[in-house]
Amino acid sequence: MRLDNPLLVRWEYASEERLNKRNAIFRALVQGESPEDAAFAAVGNAHAARLLDAGCGPGDLSERFVRDLGLEVHAFDISPRMVELTRNRGVDAQVADIE
């Protein structure tokens, strides 16, 4: 089965435990700056006031944008559980398929 198989991805994103395992595998393959740190730096350099976080996952990066940059963040994810976790962080989040 391919790692980008939609059914596999949906299953992994249905719980934070499975998503954390998926992300740990991915992070083990990345060298250098983390994708989250690169995104944070790019957004910070853009001096934006608002941000759309499409595919927000559990909302940790969305929360960081709000807390550290003072941005107005609107987040979307296909997983109801990820949206719930993001909302619990105080970030506006909605269930949506960005495709």
Side-chain angles (χ1 to χ4, degrees):
M1 179 177 283
R2 293 180 25 194
L3 293 178
D4 64 346
N5 178 293
L7 293 175
L8 174 63
V9 171
R10 186 170 294 207
W11 180 81
E12 289 173 327
Y13 276 73
S15 84
E16 57 271 31
E17 292 85 9
R18 291 191 297 255
L19 179 59
N20 286 337
K21 287 180 184 177
R22 177 184 176 91
N23 287 340
I25 293 168
F26 173 74
R27 282 182 178 78
L29 301 173
V30 174
Q31 296 180 4
E33 185 177 32
S34 75
E36 293 85 1
D37 288 344
F40 185 81
V43 170
N45 289 335
H47 305 290
R50 294 182 293 161
L51 178 82
L52 172 64
D53 188 351
C56 62
D60 46 349
L61 187 56
S62 295
E63 179 185 36
R64 188 175 167 197
F65 288 132
V66 172
R67 182 188 65 235
D68 296 349
L69 297 178
L71 297 180
E72 175 186 336
V73 175
H74 300 280
F76 296 89
D77 202 285
I78 198 167
S79 166
R81 178 63 181 151
M82 295 301 120
V83 167
E84 177 185 2
L85 293 170
T86 301
R87 286 179 181 162
N88 289 343
R89 294 172 180 271
V91 178
D92 173 52
Q94 304 293 320
V95 175
D97 183 345
I98 62 172
E99 288 185 32

